[in-house]
């Protein structure tokens, strides 16, 4: 196999992996237009990659808090440093349903989101990547544990009176 064929084969499996990894991957340009939209995003948003590409993320999800999100993304572009959004700060950036509605206790997917700058070969930041992690199980377990601890405190307090 030639070096060029090996390079194309490597590129193919890398794109396949990015498309099918179990986290949401969205690459945006400076106008917030979608450049990459993986299958996680397709499956949970109901918007195919072919429809999402070249559209503004803010038009795909018109109910997002656009002022808040623009500020976050502009900070990533300007400061050239990633930012992280925890489910504890904002339970979900994207309005995805929990995909375990029967066994789970959450209607919506809890998400951690990383917004990372992507540098071009000359070092300029022209794109950013949103990485969306489904942390529903962790969040619901923590919420349930907190509720159980609160109940235990109330019962202990009632018994000590």
């Amino acid at each position: 196999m030639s070096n060029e064929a090996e390079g194309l084969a490597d590129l193919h499996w890398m794109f396949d992996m990015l498309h099918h990894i179990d986290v949401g991957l969205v690459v945006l340009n400076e106008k917030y237009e979608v450049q990459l939209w993986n299958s996680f995003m397709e499956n949970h948003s109901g918007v195919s990659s072919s429809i999402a590409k070249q559209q503004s993320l803010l038009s795909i999800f018109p109910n997002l808090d656009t002022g808040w999100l623009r500020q976050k993304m502009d900070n990533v572009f300007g400061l050239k440093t990633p930012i992280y959004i925890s489910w504890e700060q904002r339970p979900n950036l994207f309005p995805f349903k929990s995909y375990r509605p029967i066994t789970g206790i959450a209607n919506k997917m809890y998400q951690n989101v990383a917004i990372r700058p992507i540098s071009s070969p000359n070092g300029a930041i022209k794109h950013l990547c949103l990485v969306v992690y489904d942390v529903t199980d962790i969040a619901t377990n923590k919420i349930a544990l907190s509720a159980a601890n609160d109940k235990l405190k109330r019962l202990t307090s009632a018994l000590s009176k």
Side-chain angles (χ1 to χ4, degrees):
M1 189 182 275
S2 71
N3 283 344
E4 186 175 323
E6 285 179 17
L8 286 175
D10 287 348
L11 191 60
H12 174 77
W13 68 257
M14 282 189 269
F15 276 116
D16 190 59
M17 180 189 68
L18 289 175
H19 191 65
H20 293 99
I21 194 167
D22 198 27
V23 297
L25 291 176
V26 180
V27 174
L28 303 174
N29 65 16
E30 293 173 305
K31 297 177 186 175
Y32 316 119
E33 295 167 335
V34 173
Q35 307 298 295
L36 175 92
W37 186 263
N38 78 344
S39 63
F40 179 99
M41 295 302 292
E42 285 183 350
N43 294 337
H44 294 289
S45 70
V47 178
S48 73
S49 178
S50 59
I51 291 174
K53 281 188 180 173
Q54 302 307 319
Q55 280 197 55
S56 168
L57 179 69
L58 307 174
S59 69
I60 296 170
F61 296 102
N63 294 330
L64 292 178
D65 184 346
T66 56
W68 176 85
L69 185 56
R70 279 181 193 259
Q71 181 183 10
K72 296 288 185 192
M73 293 188 297
D74 288 346
N75 284 341
V76 172
F77 277 123
L79 299 173
K80 301 178 182 179
T81 187
I83 63 161
Y84 303 94
I85 304 163
S86 166
W87 70 269
E88 292 170 304
Q89 299 166 319
R90 183 172 290 260
N92 46 40
L93 179 59
F94 296 103
F96 298 158
K97 291 180 182 175
S98 173
Y99 60 86
R100 288 180 288 280
I102 294 172
T103 59
I105 60 172
N107 293 329
K108 298 264 184 187
M109 176 193 294
Y110 286 86
Q111 302 155 11
N112 284 345
V113 179
I115 305 176
R116 301 178 175 280
I118 301 174
S119 60
S120 62
N122 68 3
I125 304 298
K126 300 288 183 187
H127 295 87
L128 54 83
C129 180
L130 282 75
V131 184
V132 182
Y133 303 90
D134 177 358
V135 294
T136 304
D137 289 339
I138 294 166
T140 55
N141 287 338
K142 186 171 182 180
I143 291 167
L145 180 61
S146 180
N149 284 335
D150 288 346
K151 185 175 183 178
L152 184 60
K153 283 179 189 176
R154 287 192 307 275
L155 290 172
T156 303
S157 176
L159 288 175
S160 66
K161 289 183 181 180

